[in-house]
Amino acid sequence: MLKILKSKKVIIGAVVILVIIIAIVAGQSGADVRIESVKSGAMQEYISLRGKVALEKNQKIYSQLSGIVDEVIVEEGENVDTQSQLLKIDVEDLDLALQRAHASYDAAKASLAELRGSIKPEQIKQAEAQLEQAKIMEAAAQKEYEYKKDQLEKARTLYENDATSAQELKDIQILVDIANDTLRSAKESTTLAQYNLDLLRKGVSSSAIEVAEANVKQAELQIKELESNIGKASIYSPIEGTILAKYAEERMVVVPGTPLYEIGDYHTAYVSVNVLVEDMVGIKIGQKAVLSGDILEDKEIEGIIYNIAPKAETSISSLGVEQQKVEMKISYDNNGVNLRPGYGIDVDIIRKENTTALYIPEEAVFDMDGEDYVFVVEEGKLELRKITIGLENEDYIEAVEGLVEAEKVVLDPESDLKPGIKVK
């Protein structure tokens, strides 16, 4: 029995010693914390935005007349200059109209000359023949116009029954418009021929001479207008750049306003960003910005704000909130950088900068009673330290007062940490 009691005392004693050793080890180990050193160097305060690449020189080309695309000369991606022809529009109808205009002009000049000279019987006969010819041309133009109108009505019926396409209907409408223009020109020629004949039959007066002179002038203007339109059939690039988009195809029917091309100059590329009005404080032309993003891989490009819109624009956010934003343009060196219009870019606008800042990770700072504090590790124990902060960004906070370089601060301190406790 005595041996058993002694054995129990020995076991109990060993257990007590083990508990004391565990307590000592635990007391020496301290709480687990993550720490980071206070660093010194350049620090920036910036706002992060999402921008888009755009071109300062960017222009869309539209058709200025009705017709059919005869030839497409350049394709997307090709470089052009102001001497480059882009496409040609078929102007056969305009050529015919120009021939008729020249004929009308010659007739008007001839009539004026006749009025200024003596009136002869053969002149009246000639005018009668011209009138007869004009009536024949008018009748032919009227017949052609009625035929085209009938085709259009049939095409509309087919379109309503899904038996023809909208494009085919549109093509026939173009032909009707051309026939109508021809008919109107023929009627004008008939009217002019009748007027000239009437003048000859009545004899010449000063007012008749003035009217004839006006007819000549009108014919001249019609010729110039047609020649101008024919010139518009050959489309040239208005700027030097690259074909960004091609909308025209051969045999496509176009009318005034039909888009044909979009041309842009990559050398005038910039990044456009929209900044909330409340974030505009301290931002001005000439400030630096840093461009980055997946399209740039691991590279960062420095940019400069060179334009700030004179007014804010109102927009609705994805959450339905009304916002006022100001557009800013940022230039950058695009040599060797293949940024295309429409690319999305991450933009950090540098608002303030300190080249000799003391800074710590932002997750080390916490608020207590409206003041900023950190836990500093001194000789293995926690010390609560009040600090004054300066610049801030997404990663770091500048410690203006309260810390010195190389001190250790605790990151993401737990709520149960207290000053004086041991840490590891």
Side-chain angles (χ1 to χ4, degrees):
M1 178 64 85
L2 184 59
K3 288 182 179 181
I4 293 174
L5 289 175
K6 286 182 178 180
S7 298
K8 287 182 178 181
K9 287 181 180 180
V10 171
I11 293 172
I12 292 171
V15 170
V16 170
I17 293 171
L18 181 60
V19 169
I20 292 172
I21 293 172
I22 292 174
I24 293 172
V25 172
Q28 290 177 342
S29 63
D32 287 326
V33 294
R34 294 188 305 116
I35 63 172
E36 183 68 59
S37 298
V38 179
K39 295 183 174 63
S40 65
M43 183 180 170
Q44 299 168 332
E45 182 175 291
Y46 53 84
I47 56 173
S48 296
L49 303 163
R50 187 68 174 170
K52 184 175 288 187
V53 178
L55 300 179
E56 198 73 67
K57 289 180 66 175
N58 185 57
Q59 192 165 340
K60 278 192 174 182
I61 312 300
Y62 300 91
S63 175
Q64 296 183 20
L65 70 160
S66 299
I68 298 174
V69 176
D70 185 50
E71 182 182 4
V72 175
I73 299 174
V74 297
E75 301 291 336
E76 288 184 1
E78 292 188 39
N79 295 323
V80 295
D81 57 32
T82 54
Q83 303 299 316
S84 301
Q85 186 175 6
L86 308 180
L87 60 76
K88 292 191 296 185
I89 297 175
D90 186 352
V91 290
E92 182 178 350
D93 293 326
L94 289 177
D95 289 334
L96 293 175
L98 181 60
Q99 292 176 22
R100 289 194 296 269
H102 276 292
S104 296
Y105 173 71
D106 293 339
K109 282 184 65 177
S111 296
L112 177 60
E114 289 175 359
L115 287 173
R116 286 172 175 166
S118 59
I119 304 301
K120 300 177 181 179
E122 59 265 29
Q123 292 175 329
I124 294 178
K125 289 183 179 179
Q126 183 181 4
E128 289 174 341
Q130 289 175 343
L131 176 59
E132 186 63 25
Q133 181 64 30
K135 288 180 178 180
I136 293 172
M137 293 181 66
E138 180 182 344
Q142 181 71 44
K143 185 177 180 180
E144 178 66 12
Y145 174 66
E146 296 297 334
Y147 173 73
K148 295 297 184 184
K149 276 183 64 178
D150 183 60
Q151 282 190 319
L152 179 61
E153 292 300 322
K154 291 179 180 178
R156 283 175 177 163
T157 302
L158 291 173
Y159 178 73
E160 290 171 356
N161 295 318
D162 295 326
T164 189
S165 67
Q167 185 61 51
E168 290 175 340
L169 181 62
K170 188 175 180 181
D171 292 349
I172 296 175
Q173 179 64 62
I174 294 293
L175 296 176
V176 171
D177 293 341
I178 293 173
N180 187 40
D181 291 341
T182 303
L183 175 59
R184 184 170 60 252
S185 179
K187 287 182 177 180
E188 290 173 354
S189 296
T190 301
T191 301
L192 179 60
Q194 182 67 59
Y195 183 79
N196 289 335
L197 178 59
D198 292 342
L199 283 178
L200 288 171
R201 285 172 175 170
K202 291 178 182 179
V204 180
S205 65
S206 59
S207 60
I209 295 291
E210 292 175 357
V211 171
E213 289 172 343
N215 289 336
V216 172
K217 186 65 176 178
Q218 182 179 3
E220 287 178 336
L221 293 175
Q222 186 178 14
I223 289 173
K224 289 180 179 179
E225 181 181 359
L226 288 169
E227 288 176 342
S228 174
N229 286 337
I230 290 174
K232 295 173 183 176
S234 295
I235 310 297
Y236 289 83
S237 174
I239 62 173
E240 182 177 342
T242 303
I243 302 295
L244 304 180
K246 177 180 73 71
Y247 309 109
E249 299 294 341
E250 289 188 2
R251 309 313 303 164
M252 183 176 81
V253 176
V254 296
V255 296
T258 300
L260 303 175
Y261 285 95
E262 183 178 1
I263 304 174
D265 184 356
Y266 287 148
H267 296 96
T268 66
Y270 67 93
V271 174
S272 172
V273 292
N274 293 309
V275 184
L276 288 170
V277 170
E278 50 266 35
D279 290 335
M280 286 294 297
V281 178
I283 295 180
K284 58 184 181 295
I285 291 176
Q287 279 185 254
K288 291 192 298 184
V290 178
L291 311 180
S292 61
D294 294 340
I295 194 65
L296 292 173
E297 298 177 345
D298 295 330
K299 292 191 296 185
E300 289 186 345
I301 302 175
E302 183 176 291
I304 299 292
I305 299 173
Y306 74 93
N307 180 276
I308 298 177
K311 67 174 184 176
E313 299 290 344
T314 300
S315 62
I316 305 299
S317 72
S318 58
L319 299 177
V321 178
E322 186 177 280
Q323 298 175 323
Q324 283 74 45
K325 293 185 176 182
V326 177
E327 183 193 19
M328 295 194 307
K329 295 181 179 180
I330 299 170
S331 62
Y332 63 93
D333 184 1
N334 56 21
N335 289 325
V337 181
N338 191 25
L339 295 181
R340 301 298 179 93
Y343 280 3
I345 293 290
D346 293 325
V347 180
D348 292 333
I349 297 178
I350 311 303
R351 303 176 71 171
K352 298 177 184 177
E353 188 171 16
N354 185 353
T355 58
T356 58
L358 288 178
Y359 58 91
I360 56 177
E362 57 87 18
E363 61 263 39
V365 182
F366 58 91
D367 178 88
M368 190 168 65
D369 298 328
E371 304 286 351
D372 296 304
Y373 285 86
V374 295
F375 275 121
V376 179
V377 178
E378 290 284 353
E379 296 181 354
K381 295 182 180 180
L382 290 185
E383 176 186 329
L384 185 63
R385 188 84 59 83
K386 177 182 174 182
I387 65 171
T388 301
I389 65 175
L391 303 181
E392 298 181 59
N393 58 40
E394 293 180 350
D395 301 311
Y396 295 99
I397 292 178
E398 180 187 15
V400 178
E401 294 180 357
L403 294 173
V404 296
E405 186 178 358
E407 284 190 304
K408 311 295 184 185
V409 295
V410 177
L411 304 182
D412 293 319
E414 300 290 343
S415 58
D416 58 351
L417 293 182
K418 304 295 180 184
I421 68 171
K422 291 183 178 180
V423 294
K424 63 177 180 178

